[in-house]
């Protein structure tokens, strides 16, 4: 299991007990190897998250701690964990354990049946507020309209085979959006459905700003549709300008009491100004991403790896 953590010192003692019990049960059922581990990825936490992870490892539990040099972001921390973790199959989930770990058995069974990707999908959003529900639905609908291939109501709770992880490692883009990249692998996949639980401790790290940023990253990393929409808007503005010109000419010839100069001055200023600002903003978003990509900076940097079993050769930083 791979779990990104950011300021999760309150919740780690609670979830570590649950995860340890789950691993023991899976081992007893013969579904996983006895050497299976839980990887906690500390994404530059500013509280005692790393100290808590280190203590859990030193106590002899089935845990491995990976500490990043700074806060890279949830998607990068998750990617780092997937690249570092051992195992024939990896399951990623969030530290709040709102994702139901009781469906892990079903995930493994589907993996054993030949599925190399198993998505955890929410059955409903009854636990969400109206605003959260509306923003989530809007995200998936807009993403689909703009050509981004994602799995409806799926976040980052999934099982990946070792083959899928190796393929994922070939994606070197800096603006990585795993929810869009994973379906691009094209491997045999399946879904399990679950009910999302309430967070047992701490606070959610995904605020409105984070959710909006993730949505923008998803769209601009996988679709050029916004640029095509700008082209369409430019064409529409041209048509509207012709209509306005025709109306102004008709009003002048017909002697109507239209205010002289109003149509030819005010409307075009607001119309063209708004379109230009929109076009510059969208184009700038793509140019900015290109600027970041060509630098080819590392996706993450590892500061320390803490484990209590035999140390394996550390994989190189990305």
């Amino acid at each position: 299991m791979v779990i990104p953590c950011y300021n999760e010192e309150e919740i780690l003692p609670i979830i570590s007990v649950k995860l340890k019990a789950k691993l023991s049960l899976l081992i007893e059922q013969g579904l996983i190897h006895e050497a299976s581990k839980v990887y906690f990825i500390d994404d530059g936490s500013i509280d005692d998250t790393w100290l808590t992870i280190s203590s859990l490892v030193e106590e002899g539990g089935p845990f491995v701690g990976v500490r990043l040099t700074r806060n890279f972001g949830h998607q990068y921390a998750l990617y780092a964990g997937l690249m570092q973790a051992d195992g024939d199959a990896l399951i990623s989930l969030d530290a709040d354990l709102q994702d139901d770990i009781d469906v892990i058995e079903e995930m493994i069974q589907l993996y054993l049946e030949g599925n190399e990707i198993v998505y955890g999908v929410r059955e409903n959003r009854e636990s969400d507020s109206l605003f959260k529900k509306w923003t989530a639905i809007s995200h998936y609908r807009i993403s689909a309209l703009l050509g981004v291939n994602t799995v409806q109501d799926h976040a980052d709770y999934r099982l990946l085979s070792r083959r899928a992880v190796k393929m994922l490692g070939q994606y070197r883009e800096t603006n990585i959006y795993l929810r869009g990249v994973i379906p691009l692998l094209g491997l045999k996949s399946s879904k399990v459905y679950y009910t999302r639980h309430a967070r047992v401790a701490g606070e959610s790290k995904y605020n409105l700003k984070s959710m909006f940023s993730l949505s923008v990253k998803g769209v601009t990393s996988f679709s050029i549709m916004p640029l095509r929409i700008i082209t369409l808007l430019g064409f529409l503005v041209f048509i509207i300008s012709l209509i306005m010109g025709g109306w102004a000419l008709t009003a002048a010839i017909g002697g109507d009491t239209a205010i002289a100069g109003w149509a030819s001055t005010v409307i075009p200023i607001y119309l063209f100004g708004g379109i230009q600002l929109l076009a510059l903003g969208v184009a700038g978003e793509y140019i900015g991403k290109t600027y970041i990509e060509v630098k080819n900076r590392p996706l993450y940097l590892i500061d320390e790896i803490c484990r209590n079993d035999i140390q394996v050769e550390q994989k190189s930083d990305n």
Side-chain angles (χ1 to χ4, degrees), residues 7-311:
N7 294 345
E8 300 289 3
E9 63 172 330
E10 294 182 36
I11 203 171
L12 281 172
I14 301 173
I15 68 170
S16 61
V17 174
K18 294 184 178 182
L19 294 173
K20 185 176 181 179
K22 172 58 69 174
L23 280 183
S24 298
L25 178 61
L26 294 173
I27 292 172
E28 291 177 4
Q29 294 174 339
L31 291 176
I32 64 175
H33 193 273
E34 60 183 9
S36 297
K37 299 288 183 181
V38 176
Y39 283 73
F40 290 121
I41 317 301
D42 181 14
D43 186 25
S45 299
I46 57 177
D47 62 359
D48 289 333
T49 293
W50 180 246
L51 291 177
T52 305
I53 293 174
S54 301
S55 298
L56 290 172
V57 174
E58 292 171 0
E59 290 171 2
F63 306 114
V64 176
V66 178
R67 186 183 191 183
L68 304 186
T69 58
R70 62 174 176 84
N71 178 243
F72 286 85
H74 177 273
Q75 295 288 284
Y76 301 98
L78 178 54
Y79 183 87
L82 293 173
M83 294 301 105
Q84 291 294 318
D86 304 306
D88 298 321
L90 307 180
I91 295 177
S92 62
L93 63 162
D94 292 337
D96 53 25
L97 282 199
Q98 289 184 272
D99 300 321
D100 187 5
I101 61 175
D102 289 334
V103 300
I104 289 180
E105 287 90 342
E106 186 178 352
M107 284 183 164
I108 296 174
Q109 290 291 354
L110 289 170
Y111 163 73
L112 295 175
E113 292 173 9
N115 293 282
E116 301 202 61
I117 304 173
V118 182
Y119 299 102
V121 180
R122 296 180 62 172
E123 288 183 326
N124 55 66
R125 290 188 170 272
E126 294 178 356
S127 60
D128 290 347
S129 64
L130 289 176
F131 178 75
K132 181 66 179 295
K133 187 181 300 184
W134 177 79
T135 54
I137 293 174
S138 300
H139 164 74
Y140 287 112
R141 287 181 177 176
I142 294 174
S143 296
L145 287 173
L146 295 178
V148 183
N149 182 24
T150 58
V151 178
Q152 179 80 23
D153 291 326
H154 163 72
D156 290 298
Y157 187 27
R158 66 178 76 88
L159 179 148
L160 297 175
S161 69
R162 173 52 57 184
R163 183 184 177 207
V165 173
K166 287 182 178 180
M167 288 184 174
L168 177 62
Q170 298 179 40
Y171 283 80
R172 309 293 303 168
E173 56 204 67
T174 302
N175 296 284
I176 193 164
Y177 179 64
L178 293 176
R179 301 176 193 182
V181 170
I182 302 296
L184 293 180
L185 300 181
L187 299 175
K188 183 179 180 181
S189 63
S190 186
K191 301 176 183 177
V192 297
Y193 294 88
Y194 68 95
T195 300
R196 191 169 172 85
H197 303 310
R199 187 179 178 95
V200 296
E203 298 179 354
S204 173
K205 308 305 182 297
Y206 263 99
N207 52 29
L208 179 60
K209 179 181 178 181
S210 299
M211 290 187 292
F212 179 75
S213 177
L214 188 65
S215 296
V216 171
K217 178 184 290 186
V219 171
T220 55
S221 295
F222 288 88
S223 174
I224 61 170
M225 187 61 69
L227 295 176
R228 292 176 177 171
I229 292 176
I230 289 177
T231 302
L232 178 61
L233 285 174
F235 178 75
L236 290 176
V237 168
F238 173 72
I239 297 299
I240 293 173
S241 299
L242 292 179
I243 295 173
M244 289 174 57
W247 172 81
L249 181 61
T250 302
I253 296 175
D256 290 348
T257 57
I259 299 175
W262 180 86
S264 60
T265 303
V266 177
I267 295 179
I269 288 176
Y270 284 99
L271 189 60
F272 284 108
I275 295 298
Q276 286 172 351
L277 288 175
L278 175 64
L280 287 173
V282 175
E285 183 71 24
Y286 281 92
I287 293 172
K289 277 185 164 48
T290 303
Y291 169 71
I292 294 174
E293 289 290 345
V294 297
K295 290 182 176 181
N296 196 28
R297 289 177 175 173
L299 300 184
Y300 61 89
L301 294 171
I302 295 177
D303 182 34
E304 183 180 354
I305 297 180
C306 181
R307 57 192 307 156
N308 56 23
D309 56 355
I310 298 175
Q311 181 68 45

